[in-house]
């Protein structure tokens, strides 16, 4: 029940941000960035929220940057994977069919 409520509110948030021309990629980048900040100890979290991420130690900034780059990389790879999806399904189906034939001695 609670998870459904969270997903429902995220849908509203997504709609509001889209109407403000805040792109999906930008929204995911922000979500990842602040998810990282939320995992930090309270003193680092307060510092990051009041002074910005440039006030964080180098390793923490690199972790945030790597996560943001990962979101961008996935945005590039998703269309490629969508094109390859039917072919990968066909390969897996053929592997399964060969296994069935092999099992029954066909």
């Amino acid at each position: 029940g609670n998870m459904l409520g969270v997903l429902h509110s995220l849908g509203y948030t997504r709609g509001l941000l889209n109407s403000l021309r805040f792109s999906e990629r930008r929204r995911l980048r922000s979500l990842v960035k602040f998810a990282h900040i939320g995992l930090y100890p309270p003193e680092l979290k307060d510092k990051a929220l009041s002074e910005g991420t440039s006030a964080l130690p180098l390793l923490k900034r690199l972790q945030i940057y790597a996560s943001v780059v990962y979101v961008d990389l996935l945005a590039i790879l998703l269309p490629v994977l969508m094109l390859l999806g039917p072919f990968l399904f066909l390969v897996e189906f053929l592997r399964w069919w060969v296994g069935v034939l092999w099992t029954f001695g066909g």
Side-chain angles (χ1 to χ4, degrees):
N2 289 336
M3 187 55 144
L4 187 59
V6 168
L7 291 175
H8 193 67
S9 65
L10 282 176
Y12 281 127
T13 304
R14 181 180 179 193
L16 289 171
L17 290 174
N18 282 340
S19 67
L20 293 172
R21 307 284 188 251
F22 201 83
S23 70
E24 186 73 12
R25 183 185 293 185
R26 197 167 157 201
R27 185 178 71 81
L28 287 174
R29 291 172 85 184
S30 298
L31 193 64
V32 165
K33 175 184 172 182
F34 287 104
H36 264 287
I37 291 172
L39 293 173
Y40 296 154
E43 61 275 358
L44 278 179
K45 188 184 316 180
D46 294 339
K47 192 174 187 179
L49 294 176
S50 63
E51 300 173 32
T53 55
S54 60
L56 291 173
L58 179 63
L59 183 59
K60 300 293 184 189
R61 283 183 285 162
L62 287 175
Q63 288 173 341
I64 292 172
Y65 181 72
S67 297
V68 168
V69 168
Y70 186 67
V71 168
D72 290 334
L73 181 65
L74 284 177
I76 293 168
L77 286 177
L78 276 175
V80 173
L81 291 175
M82 284 177 52
L83 290 173
L84 290 177
F87 299 109
L88 295 174
F89 175 77
L90 183 62
V91 167
E92 285 301 313
F93 178 75
L94 290 175
R95 277 185 48 194
W96 173 80
W97 186 246
V98 167
V100 168
L101 291 176
W102 185 266
T103 302
F104 295 112

